[in-house]
Amino acid sequence: GDSEVDIGDFTLWADAFGATGAGLPEDVSGDNEVDIGDFTLWADNFGNTLGIGGNGAGIASVPEPSSLILFALGAVGLLCTASRRRKKPDSK
């Protein structure tokens, strides 16, 4: 209710986990169940401020590169570099 996505919201989610019904404030995904989907929304928006009304309707996350994608790109780069070094012509 304070329009900030913080650890207090996690505590509320954890206490209500598994609850079902309409109008649960911890059900930010709107599926009438406090579940892992609500946790995911909390995690994705941790540290953000909600829009007008504080109901989650104004949540806007800033897209950031995933560390998994960055790792994959780095691994591909290393593999390409390593394969170039191995393909040296024979010097006979």
Side-chain angles (χ1 to χ4, degrees):
D2 62 359
S3 297
E4 299 214 8
V5 183
D6 55 19
I7 197 68
D9 298 309
F10 172 79
T11 304
L12 294 172
W13 169 83
D15 290 345
F17 184 78
T20 59
L24 294 168
E26 297 85 2
D27 176 30
V28 293
S29 65
D31 64 355
N32 295 330
E33 182 177 4
V34 180
D35 56 10
I36 196 69
D38 302 303
F39 170 80
T40 302
L41 285 170
W42 171 81
D44 289 346
N45 293 285
F46 184 77
N48 291 341
T49 302
L50 299 179
I52 298 171
N55 63 359
I59 293 176
S61 60
V62 176
E64 296 180 16
S66 166
S67 57
L68 182 58
I69 292 172
L70 291 174
F71 174 77
L73 290 173
V76 168
L78 287 174
L79 289 173
C80 289
T81 303
S83 70
R84 277 192 225 155
R85 289 182 183 172
R86 286 187 208 149
K87 292 183 180 179
K88 289 183 180 178
D90 292 333
S91 57
K92 289 184 178 180

